[in-house]
Amino acid sequence: NAGVMQNPRHLVRRRGQEARLRCSPMKGHSHVYWYRQLPEEGLKFMVYLQKENIIDESGMPKERFSAEFPKEGPSILRIQQVVRGDSAAYFCASSPGRENIQYFGAGTRLSVL
Amino acid sequence: AQSVSQHNHHVILSEAASLELGCNYSYGGTVNLFWYVQYPGQHLQLLLKYFSGDPLVKGIKGFEAEFIKSKFSFNLRKPSVQWSDTAEYFCAVNLLSGGYNKLIFGAGTRLAVHP
C-alpha cells in the first residue's frame, strides 16, 4: 500500500511564475490536508479538503493560493505569481475519515528565485 | 488561539543518554495528542499518539510519552538514544471541536545524537 505521494519533491520557480504541487493520498483515503513549513518553524495548517469539496481553508493566504481535490486525480495546491516569501516546504497528509490519524507525504520544497 | 509549545529547538546528546522533549499546548477542550518524527529527507512519521485511557503511551522505537492533563503537557521520552534517532521531532494537537481533524504543530525540536 503506497503512502502519500507528493510531487515534485523539489520545485524551483522565478518570481511571478505559477507553482503546482500535487498530492496523491493513500489508497482508500478521501480526506486531504495541506500544511506549510517555513524555515525554522513548525507545520502550519493551510486547507482541508474532501473529494470535490473544500471543508476548511482558514489557513490559506487570501490571495494567490488555491487548492482542489477533484473526483479523479490528485489534490493540487496552486500558487500563482509566486514571491520569495512562498519559499517553504509544503506537506500533504491524508486520512480515511475526518477524525483519523493523518499520514504525511515527503513534502515538496519550493524555492522561489 | 490554540498553540503548541516545544521548549527545546535544538538538543545534542551522546548515544545512550536519556531524552526528554517538552511539549505544552494551550486548549481547554478535548484533544488528541501526537508526536511525529522527520528523519533527514523523509516524510513525517507517527511516533505515538494519545486519544484516551492510560496517559502513558508507548510508541515505536522505544519512545514513550506521558499526558498530564493538569499541566497541558505531553512530553516525549526515551531512556537511551541511538545515533539513528537523529531527526526532527514535532508535537501536535488535534482539535476536536468542529468535528474534524486539524493538527496544530509545535515548532519542532532538532535532535542530534553523537556516537
Side-chain angles (χ1 to χ4, degrees):
Chain A
N1 186 11
V4 178
M5 303 301 292
Q6 289 188 250
N7 66 81
R9 291 292 305 276
H10 300 275
L11 182 61
V12 179
R13 286 287 178 267
R14 297 189 182 280
R15 280 179 296 171
Q17 291 184 319
E18 178 180 286
R20 279 183 179 245
L21 288 64
R22 293 174 183 76
C23 170
S24 296
M26 287 180 70
K27 188 176 180 181
H29 289 191
S30 59
H31 299 248
V32 165
Y33 316 80
W34 285 93
Y35 294 83
R36 176 165 65 173
Q37 184 183 25
L38 294 170
E40 303 301 318
E41 294 187 19
L43 283 74
K44 297 284 195 291
F45 169 82
M46 298 181 75
V47 62
Y48 163 41
L49 310 101
Q50 288 180 255
K51 281 288 187 181
E52 301 184 274
N53 291 304
I54 296 174
I55 307 301
D56 181 352
E57 56 182 347
S58 59
M60 288 276 272
K62 293 288 185 281
E63 297 177 348
R64 303 186 296 108
F65 284 71
S66 62
E68 63 177 13
F69 188 18
K71 187 176 181 181
E72 301 291 338
S75 175
I76 306 287
L77 179 67
R78 183 181 176 206
I79 311 172
Q80 295 179 291
Q81 299 177 322
V82 296
V83 300
R84 288 220 173 106
D86 297 332
S87 295
Y90 292 82
F91 289 92
C92 170
S94 73
S95 67
R98 58 197 311 165
E99 292 186 18
N100 297 106
I101 293 168
Q102 295 181 23
Y103 295 87
F104 283 80
T108 293
R109 277 163 176 75
L110 172 65
S111 297
V112 179
L113 304 179
Chain B
Q2 298 86 6
S3 65
V4 176
S5 298
Q6 291 184 240
H7 310 307
N8 312 98
H9 293 292
H10 294 91
V11 173
I12 301 173
L13 294 173
S14 299
E15 275 193 317
S18 64
L19 170 72
E20 180 159 4
L21 302 182
C23 173
N24 286 89
Y25 64 94
S26 62
Y27 182 67
T30 302
V31 294
N32 293 336
L33 298 155
F34 305 83
W35 276 97
Y36 282 87
V37 60
Q38 186 177 24
Y39 298 103
Q42 297 187 26
H43 62 280
L44 271 77
Q45 300 176 37
L46 183 65
L47 259 185
L48 47 77
K49 63 187 185 296
Y50 173 79
F51 282 7
S52 63
D54 188 345
L56 183 63
V57 293
K58 295 192 183 299
I60 59 172
K61 304 187 181 186
F63 286 90
E64 64 179 31
E66 184 175 13
F67 171 51
I68 303 178
K69 190 174 181 181
S70 61
K71 294 184 178 180
F72 298 89
S73 69
F74 190 55
N75 292 354
L76 181 71
R77 298 194 292 249
K78 185 170 184 178
S80 176
V81 294
Q82 301 171 310
W83 175 78
S84 58
D85 293 324
T86 294
E88 189 159 18
Y89 294 80
F90 294 95
C91 180
V93 168
N94 175 4
L95 305 183
L96 295 179
S97 71
Y100 63 85
N101 222 346
K102 180 191 287 189
L103 288 176
I104 309 294
F105 282 87
T109 298
R110 289 182 190 272
L111 172 66
V113 180
H114 294 296

